[in-house]
Amino acid sequence: MAHAAPTALRRHRQSTDMAHLSKSAYARPLLLGLVYGVWAAFIQRQTGPVDAGNVFYGILCGVLFAGIMFGLARVGPRMKREAHAAAYGAFGGIAVGYLHSLTGQSVLKAVVVGLAVGVGVGAIAFYRYYMRED
């Protein structure tokens, strides 16, 4: 009998080459970074006039947010699902907590809001990665 011998399953490794990335891999972090930067600049402005400092602050916050989000999207699939979800939870909690701290509320309230958002984002991310596991 001429049957093929069973072979071990191969897992495809993600390449670190950035040439194969789709446009959405760049568009999502850039769009969310733009929204985050405008939001941070708007909160920091506190109904005063728009000046160069506010614009620079918004650009800086947006670039940092987009860069971290892009990095998490690139490194995350190589992590275990628990660590991947915890990274997104920490990122979401820190980002929202920082925005809340710009409003002038107490630091404790910003920590509580950031912690609540971080736990929620982490739980949702864990559920998503757990359900889509190979």
Side-chain angles (χ1 to χ4, degrees):
M1 292 189 194
H3 293 287
T7 60
L9 294 176
R10 294 184 194 176
R11 292 196 180 253
H12 297 285
R13 286 187 162 210
Q14 281 192 335
S15 171
T16 58
D17 183 25
M18 297 180 72
H20 72 281
L21 291 177
S22 65
K23 289 182 182 179
S24 67
Y26 295 110
R28 283 185 201 126
L30 287 177
L31 181 63
L32 290 174
L34 175 70
V35 170
Y36 188 85
V38 168
W39 193 358
F42 181 76
I43 291 173
Q44 199 256 351
R45 183 174 68 104
Q46 297 179 355
T47 67
V50 177
D51 57 358
N54 292 4
V55 173
F56 179 71
Y57 185 77
I59 291 170
L60 179 66
C61 287
V63 167
L64 286 174
F65 184 90
I68 294 170
M69 188 170 183
F70 181 75
L72 274 176
R74 292 285 294 157
V75 173
R78 289 179 254 163
M79 301 166 79
K80 290 184 178 182
R81 66 178 176 233
E82 295 88 2
H84 194 187
Y88 271 107
F91 175 62
I94 291 168
V96 171
Y98 179 70
L99 282 180
H100 192 74
S101 73
L102 290 176
T103 62
Q105 299 288 328
S106 71
V107 174
L108 182 61
K109 189 172 180 183
V111 168
V112 169
V113 169
L115 189 60
V117 170
V119 168
V121 169
I124 291 169
F126 178 75
Y127 178 77
R128 179 179 183 259
Y129 301 136
Y130 185 76
M131 286 294 139
R132 294 178 183 235
E133 186 178 64
D134 289 344

